[in-house]
Amino acid sequence: KAGVTQTPRYLIKTRGQQVTLSCSPISGHRSVSWYQQTPGQGLQFLFEYFSETQRNKGNFPGRFSGRQFSNSRSEMNVSTLELGDSALYLCASSLALGDPYGYTFGSGTRLTVV
Amino acid sequence: AQSVTQLGSHVSVSEGALVLLRCNYSSSVPPYLFWYVQYPNQGLQLLLKYTSAATLVKGINGFEAEFKKSETSFHLTKPSAHMSDAAEYFCAVSALATGNQFYFGTGTSLTVIP
């Protein structure tokens, strides 16, 4: 079966712009989580969605937002981009909230802010 | 709250030698523990997971890890390193009682010397 698909793979944006990243989970997976990965901060949790509702949120400013659609696909949006937002953004899906079997990750979207 | 500490941000081993990557966790509730591997410009791939069944967990690619509650550890081992094992390894903890948010360690970069 298809894995977690993230689009686009690479993105270059200018400071002040906004960006939308997309994530399609594995078929049947209803929970989607987003992580930011940077060399300095490592993997940091952004938020988790289940049944179109945000269930959990990390410690990021309001410029970072997300949503989930009825087909479980998710998007995250970053407004007013800053240089420090340059990172690999990883999406992960799992069967359900509280799924103890772990995430399946996508390959990520590499965002560069110039 | 949960947290993970990975001892050693860089580990080098010779091809054919034992691989030992260390992970200690902190959790106020029974944890789920995971090891993930990340190759350059890729997402994270699940190596193995502990979900309160057997304490010795076998994963893919010959890796295994042992859950030791008394030591709060979940070290990853492989008897014989292969060149293809060179990658970044992340230990993670989650707990059903806290919404299944994953907390990742800072990662250990494994180099395999021919």
Side-chain angles (χ1 to χ4, degrees), chain A residues 9 35 37 99-100 103 105-106, chain B residues 36 38 41 43-44 51 100 102:
Chain A
R9 283 298 310 276
Y35 285 82
Q37 185 178 24
D99 181 356
Y103 292 144
F105 281 86
Chain B
Y36 285 86
Q38 186 178 35
N41 293 316
L44 278 68
T51 56
N100 203 38
F102 275 47

Side-chain angles (χ1 to χ4, degrees), chain B residues 23-102:
Chain B
C23 172
N24 288 90
Y25 71 90
S26 171
S27 179
S28 55
V29 296
Y32 301 131
L33 293 159
F34 306 83
W35 275 99
Y36 285 86
V37 61
Q38 186 178 35
Y39 298 99
N41 293 316
Q42 294 294 319
L44 278 68
Q45 179 183 5
L46 181 65
L47 275 178
L48 49 79
K49 56 184 178 282
Y50 166 76
T51 56
S52 75
T55 56
L56 181 62
V57 181
K58 294 186 185 299
I60 62 171
N61 301 338
F63 284 94
E64 63 181 38
E66 186 172 7
F67 173 69
K68 291 187 176 180
K69 185 177 180 180
S70 60
E71 299 176 8
T72 61
S73 68
F74 191 58
H75 302 330
L76 182 71
T77 61
K78 182 174 180 177
S80 177
H82 191 273
M83 296 299 294
S84 62
D85 295 327
E88 188 88 15
Y89 291 81
F90 293 91
C91 182
V93 63
S94 75
L96 178 61
T98 56
N100 203 38
Q101 176 181 334
F102 275 47

Side-chain angles (χ1 to χ4, degrees), chain A residues 31-73:
Chain A
S31 175
V32 174
S33 298
W34 289 88
Y35 285 82
Q36 181 196 64
Q37 185 178 24
T38 59
Q41 299 297 319
L43 283 152
Q44 292 188 288
F45 173 74
L46 281 155
F47 26 65
E48 180 173 18
Y49 285 87
F50 180 79
S51 292
E52 303 177 61
T53 302
Q54 189 180 91
R55 303 296 180 137
N56 207 351
K57 187 177 190 302
N59 189 25
F60 277 81
R63 300 186 297 108
F64 291 81
S65 63
R67 59 178 176 170
Q68 186 180 34
F69 301 96
S70 58
N71 62 358
S72 295
R73 190 177 70 86

